[in-house]
Amino acid sequence: MMSLRLLGSIELPAHAKDGGFDHAAVHHGSSRLYVAHTSNDDVDVVDSSSDRFLESIHGLKGVAGVLVSDERDLLFTANRGENTISIFVAGREQQTARLSVGIRPNGLAFDPSLGLLLVANVGDSNVPNSSSVSLVDAGQKTVTGTLVLPGRPRWAVYDEVTGAFYVNIADPPLIVGIDANHPSEIRETFEIPSKGPHGLDLDPRARQLFCACDEGKLVTVHLDTGEVRLIGDLSGPPDVVFFNRALRRLYVAVGFPGVVDVFDAGPMRILEAVPTEKGAHTLAFDYRKNKVYVFLPATHRAAVYQDD
């Protein structure tokens, strides 16, 4: 059964140096798609209504993480090359703060009720205890705390039911839960039966996390029961995952060979592996339009798919 239908592609600026794209997010209120163009120290902005490139936000050194809060109309970037995060007004691209955080910030998650941003800092193997999370009060624009992690973090998500952040740890393979109201310690830990937890997303209705691992496996964690299930094989080492709540589908970007694996989240079976481009490890999802954007580093484009 096919699900993703290719609509076309969007030309994005050429790479200024080696590298490509990283995290991306959609601000649904303004129909703007933001993607970290890491090799350019930019965030590229796309109009997701007309699917055309609008502009680039410059001067974000080594930008890797990008996250949007639709509830608060905020855009966050993790600027890995200078150990900072930026806060923007989403839709207007107006920077309101740039704050120093930990070493090599990457993954981001946000609690809109508290206005609390979690920043997952990859750290430096030569600096003890530098794999950490920084906690940022987005309203006050201040860093309110730091928590040392048991290993290098990857993606992070927030769950409003448990009021907790969940962070993938690459090694040892774990997901840690951090209470947003008491973020000074790790509240719970889930052991993941596959190497290199990487991409992470949440099905809030079925109460489960989807964890895509570097070993090429997909794992689920049930947040109410704590049950961890090894679902099966991916097409290769994955990166980004997004869950489509309306259609109950999961999209997993696999850079090599260059596909998006599409799963039916009910029976947790793969529907198709959609060929993209070698190295295309990141994607974005517009839930209002059921559109998936896959970022193609070799040709500096975004491929646009409609899910029916």
Side-chain angles (χ1 to χ4, degrees):
M1 174 186 168
M2 300 294 285
S3 72
L4 291 185
R5 179 165 51 86
L6 182 64
L7 298 180
S9 65
I10 304 163
E11 294 287 329
L12 297 173
H15 306 315
K17 54 183 186 285
D18 283 349
F21 304 104
D22 210 333
H23 299 191
V26 175
H27 179 240
H28 294 86
S30 63
S31 291
R32 288 190 174 213
L33 164 66
Y34 300 97
V35 58
H37 202 151
T38 309
S39 59
N40 292 7
D41 299 328
D42 289 348
V43 166
D44 293 339
V45 187
V46 167
D47 180 334
S48 67
S49 294
S50 62
D51 286 335
R52 61 190 179 88
F53 169 73
L54 294 175
E55 61 180 327
S56 296
I57 306 170
H58 302 300
L60 304 168
K61 191 174 178 189
V63 61
V66 169
L67 183 69
V68 163
S69 169
D70 283 319
E71 297 89 348
R72 294 212 178 197
D73 296 319
L74 294 172
L75 163 67
F76 305 103
T77 69
N79 312 316
R80 198 166 54 199
E82 60 175 36
N83 301 336
T84 67
I85 59 110
S86 293
I87 304 174
F88 294 86
V89 179
R92 296 212 299 275
E93 289 73 68
Q94 168 195 343
Q95 183 174 260
T96 61
R98 190 175 297 207
L99 304 172
S100 294
V101 288
I103 296 175
R104 295 175 67 213
N106 188 21
L108 301 167
F110 186 63
D111 172 356
S113 61
L114 294 176
L116 186 66
L117 178 71
L118 177 141
V119 183
N121 305 303
V122 173
D124 179 338
S125 57
N126 297 314
V127 180
N129 297 329
S130 61
S131 291
S132 66
V133 295
S134 300
L135 295 145
V136 175
D137 182 323
Q140 298 295 321
K141 302 180 177 61
T142 55
V143 177
T144 58
T146 303
L147 175 61
V148 174
L149 295 173
R152 180 165 60 100
R154 298 305 240 314
W155 274 66
V157 296
Y158 172 73
D159 173 41
E160 63 181 19
V161 174
T162 55
F165 297 103
Y166 296 93
V167 184
N168 269 347
I169 307 295
D171 184 28
L174 303 171
I175 296 176
V176 297
I178 299 167
D179 188 334
N181 285 289
H182 306 283
S184 57
E185 60 185 18
I186 291 171
R187 184 170 80 179
E188 59 193 332
T189 300
F190 302 98
E191 294 186 10
I192 302 302
S194 182
K195 289 178 187 164
H198 200 145
L200 185 67
D201 206 1
L202 169 72
D203 177 353
R205 198 173 86 205
R207 309 297 309 130
Q208 66 181 358
L209 295 168
F210 302 104
C211 173
C213 300
D214 290 341
E215 201 176 356
K217 304 286 186 190
L218 181 64
V219 175
T220 60
V221 177
H222 198 287
L223 289 176
D224 294 345
T225 65
E227 183 193 8
V228 178
R229 284 178 59 208
L230 186 63
I231 297 300
D233 293 327
L234 300 168
S235 296
D239 190 341
V240 177
V241 305
F242 273 105
F243 178 60
N244 181 330
R245 300 181 186 190
L247 299 179
R248 306 204 53 72
R249 289 190 180 134
L250 184 72
Y251 313 111
V252 185
V254 178
F256 297 94
V259 299
V260 174
D261 286 344
V262 184
F263 282 82
D264 181 336
M268 284 313 298
R269 63 183 177 86
I270 191 160
L271 295 175
E272 61 176 336
V274 181
T276 55
E277 181 181 280
K278 194 174 284 188
H281 64 93
T282 187
L283 52 82
F285 174 54
D286 184 328
Y287 67 77
R288 286 194 183 166
K289 303 180 181 77
N290 276 326
K291 275 163 45 173
V292 177
Y293 296 82
V294 182
F295 298 96
L296 310 176
T299 53
H300 48 82
R301 294 177 301 144
V304 188
Y305 296 89
Q306 182 74 51
D307 197 341
D308 306 310

